[in-house]
Amino acid sequence: MSTVTRATLAEQIYDQVGLSRHESADILEDILERMARTLETGDTLKISGFGTFSVRQKGQRTGRNPKTGVEVPILPRSVLVFRPSQLLRAHVNGQAGRDDLPEGDDE
């Protein structure tokens, strides 16, 4: 099991595109910043063949403290929701062939 980090993504950009490591890291940061700004405004972010990120607003409600059982107010908040595409789900579940992946997703 491995973790995908900013560094590993920037390294892939460096390897595949041939830019300097600094330029590769800058491009990645720009992409991530644009994604974050989109979600901050409440817009939906759809990445073809991967999935959709959206922000859902949860209103104020009452919950229960699990230790004491006392009712407590839960303040309104925003929740980030990710819905994977059917293609991503099939790939993760081992049901997609290599030819089913969008171009560039061959790792």
Side-chain angles (χ1 to χ4, degrees), residues 68-88:
T68 65
V70 174
E71 287 190 352
V72 294
I74 299 174
L75 299 176
R77 63 187 172 121
S78 299
V79 178
L80 181 62
V81 178
F82 174 68
R83 298 192 118 165
S85 69
Q86 287 182 323
L87 185 62
L88 179 62

Side-chain angles (χ1 to χ4, degrees), residues 6-25:
R6 284 181 158 140
T8 57
L9 291 173
E11 190 67 23
Q12 277 193 309
I13 294 169
Y14 168 76
D15 289 341
Q16 294 178 11
V17 180
L19 298 174
S20 73
R21 281 187 166 86
H22 180 74
E23 290 170 317
S24 298

Side-chain angles (χ1 to χ4, degrees), residues 26-82:
D26 284 349
I27 287 172
L28 178 61
E29 289 304 318
D30 185 44
I31 292 167
L32 295 174
E33 179 61 33
R34 288 178 187 206
M35 291 171 70
R37 278 196 310 255
T38 298
L39 294 168
E40 284 172 1
T41 63
D43 290 337
T44 296
L45 176 67
K46 183 174 182 176
I47 302 172
S48 181
F50 186 73
T52 303
F53 294 90
S54 58
V55 177
R56 195 176 83 199
Q57 301 300 323
K58 293 187 92 174
Q60 184 165 340
R61 58 199 188 283
T62 302
R64 219 170 261 290
N65 181 315
K67 290 183 179 180
T68 65
V70 174
E71 287 190 352
V72 294
I74 299 174
L75 299 176
R77 63 187 172 121
S78 299
V79 178
L80 181 62
V81 178
F82 174 68

